[in-house]
Amino acid sequence: MKTLQSNGYPIFFEDSIQELVKFVKQGNYSRVFLLTDENTDKHCLPLVKPHFDEMDNFDIIEVSSGEESKTIDFCIGIWKMLIDFGADRKALLINLGGGVITDMGGFAASTFKRGIDFVHVPTTLLSQVDASVGGKTGIDIDGIKNIIGTFTQPKAVFISYDFLKSLPARQILSGTAEMLKHGLIVDKAFWDELKSSDLTIPSAEAIYWSIEIKNKVVIEDPTEKGIRKALNFGHTVGHAVETNSLLHDKNPLTHGEAIAIGMICEAWLSRKKIGLAQNELDEIVAVISNLYPQYKVKESSYPDLLALMQKDKKNENGKINCTLLTSIGQCKLDNICTDAELCESLSYYASLGK
């Protein structure tokens, strides 16, 4: 049985739905709730629900999909449903969905009656390699991603490759960005493997390798005091670009598309500030640009982007803090970047499309 052990909980990769059923039965929970959205309700729930149809203490809670739903108002809706269905402290919440569902479901469960058990069944590549592992829960406020949340570990994570078969190509690539990041920050061999692979259809082995990398980092630093900050590479600029796109674009960037932009910008900052080799910067840009279409970052948006970066939870003493690369596979934490440097990085990215 292929499994990983994280901070006190297992991550299952084989026969994961059967393992989920076994986990629920052995847990002897008073009530079991499954949190989903309209997309996973259509494509993923049919793979799970038949296993629970005979249970008389099982209910489904559905929320709207998308980052716009990851707010306190939707959390209140989840809490109210749990109250209406009679959830007590011995209840279980199964989060079946992408990163929004796992982030918000984990937060709702970790705060309901001061905490009930929850497990993650991530159904997108992004949620499998990123949001489902590490014990972070969170919601957004005023467009600031994950600004409210807790460090609370799930009781288990169940990874199923079958869920990815229903995903559009764009959503696969959204998760691929986080896989590329894992190679860039701590594992050059993984980066080298990915850059020569067909990343439109990552293999089950590559997904396992990616999750294993993240798992090692979060085991060493569960509450982000040290090495876990490495996982923030690309996210200072990327989160700002993502939020700005959500606010202004009719067809907003996916998380991975925004992080791809952030990684190019922060690789350029790595070259400027801490000596990333030019040939490695060129390699990073070439690999990422080949996968993700150029996005028009307007110079007029720089003040708004900087304002969003100023609110980033990773900042210290009011200064914008980035994780940067010393080389492919190695990073340096806690690099303060000025507004001028960050704007230069955005201009560098914009220049690639000319």
Side-chain angles (χ1 to χ4, degrees), residues 29-30 87-92 112-117:
Y29 288 102
S30 59
D88 59 22
R89 285 183 172 179
K90 294 183 179 179
L92 172 72
F112 182 75
K113 296 193 173 181
R114 295 193 173 93
I116 61 173
D117 286 359

Side-chain angles (χ1 to χ4, degrees), residues 226-252:
I227 187 59
R228 186 166 179 167
K229 295 178 184 179
L231 297 168
N232 294 326
F233 174 68
H235 284 59
T236 300
V237 174
H239 271 170
V241 171
E242 181 182 8
T243 299
N244 196 61
S245 177
L246 283 168
L247 292 172
H248 299 293
D249 293 343
K250 290 182 179 179
N251 183 24

Side-chain angles (χ1 to χ4, degrees), residues 229-330:
K229 295 178 184 179
L231 297 168
N232 294 326
F233 174 68
H235 284 59
T236 300
V237 174
H239 271 170
V241 171
E242 181 182 8
T243 299
N244 196 61
S245 177
L246 283 168
L247 292 172
H248 299 293
D249 293 343
K250 290 182 179 179
N251 183 24
L253 292 168
T254 65
H255 175 76
E257 289 165 347
I259 296 310
I261 295 169
M263 288 193 291
I264 289 176
C265 290
E266 293 177 31
W268 182 88
L269 288 166
S270 301
R271 169 68 181 151
K272 177 181 177 66
K273 293 179 68 67
I274 61 172
L276 177 69
Q278 183 65 49
N279 67 307
E280 293 199 321
L281 171 61
D282 294 342
E283 179 181 320
I284 292 166
V285 171
V287 171
I288 293 175
S289 297
N290 187 52
L291 288 168
Y292 302 93
Q294 183 75 15
Y295 175 74
K296 189 171 184 179
V297 180
K298 299 176 182 178
E299 190 170 349
S300 59
S301 71
Y302 290 4
D304 289 339
L305 293 172
L306 288 171
L308 289 166
M309 291 183 224
Q310 285 287 354
K311 297 175 182 177
D312 194 289
K313 61 184 181 299
K314 301 181 292 291
N315 294 343
E316 296 180 5
N317 300 317
K319 296 179 179 179
I320 297 174
N321 188 14
C322 295
T323 291
L324 301 178
L325 304 177
T326 55
S327 62
I328 292 177
Q330 296 184 15

